[in-house]
């Protein structure tokens, strides 16, 4: 979101004065070179609060600064699976796979043959 420049207090007072004089929002915007929506917002604010000053926002201040929120959001997206997928296998990992897979396969075949002898499988 782009931050915009704030209008001076003098310009805001001119907008209110011209509105009280009976000019339309479009005429005020054309005369002062400001957007019509800005003029409307300033007039609405003046009608509601009877002031042109920037009022403080309601609510308590944030407990975590915006930078902290960004850091939490950035790290929250990384899960254990995220790191597991990006892990690089070392030589030891490949060696364990090459050795253990045949051992496990042989063990499975022995277990199946024993179960056939006992009569677990029809």
């Amino acid at each position: 979101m782009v931050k915009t420049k704030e209008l001076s207090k003098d310009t805001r007072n001119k907008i209110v004065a011209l509105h009280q004089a009976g000019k339309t929002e479009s005429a005020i915007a054309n005369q002062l070179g400001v957007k019509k929506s800005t003029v409307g917002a300033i007039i609405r604010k003046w009608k509601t609060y009877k002031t042109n000053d920037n009022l403080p926002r309601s609510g308590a201040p944030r407990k975590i600064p915006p930078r902290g929120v960004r850091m939490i959001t950035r790290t929250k997206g990384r899960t254990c699976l995220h790191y597991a997928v990006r892990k690089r296998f070392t030589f030891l990992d490949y060696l364990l796979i090459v050795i253990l897979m045949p051992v496990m396969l042989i063990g499975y075949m022995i277990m199946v043959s024993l179960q056939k002898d006992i009569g677990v499988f029809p």
Side-chain angles (χ1 to χ4, degrees):
M1 186 178 247
V2 179
K3 291 192 175 189
T4 58
K5 240 198 273 186
E6 186 178 317
L7 290 178
S8 67
K9 190 168 177 83
D10 184 45
T11 307
R12 289 181 291 192
N13 289 335
K14 281 182 190 175
I15 290 171
V16 171
L18 290 170
H19 174 71
Q20 288 177 333
K23 289 208 170 193
T24 63
E25 291 181 8
S26 299
I28 296 170
N30 289 336
Q31 183 177 344
L32 297 177
V34 190
K35 288 186 178 181
K36 183 181 168 187
S37 60
T38 305
V39 172
I42 291 170
I43 292 171
R44 264 192 316 279
K45 184 178 181 181
W46 179 78
K47 284 181 178 178
T48 306
Y49 302 109
K50 298 296 182 203
T51 182
N52 287 326
D53 295 332
N54 287 328
L55 301 173
R57 292 179 183 261
S58 62
R62 299 290 301 250
K63 292 186 178 183
I64 302 174
R67 183 169 181 245
V69 172
R70 283 195 307 270
M71 289 176 64
I72 290 170
T73 307
R74 187 172 59 238
T75 55
K76 186 180 175 190
R78 298 178 184 162
T79 61
C80 294
L81 183 61
H82 171 82
Y83 288 112
V85 170
R86 297 184 135 224
K87 181 183 183 294
R88 287 183 148 168
F89 287 108
T90 62
F91 176 74
L92 182 61
D93 295 328
Y94 286 116
L95 187 63
L96 286 173
I97 291 170
V98 168
I99 292 172
L100 290 178
M101 288 303 282
V103 170
M104 290 172 56
L105 184 62
I106 291 169
Y108 177 75
M109 292 171 68
I110 292 172
M111 182 184 70
V112 169
S113 67
L114 288 175
Q115 287 179 346
K116 281 185 182 178
D117 290 343
I118 296 172
V120 175
F121 293 114

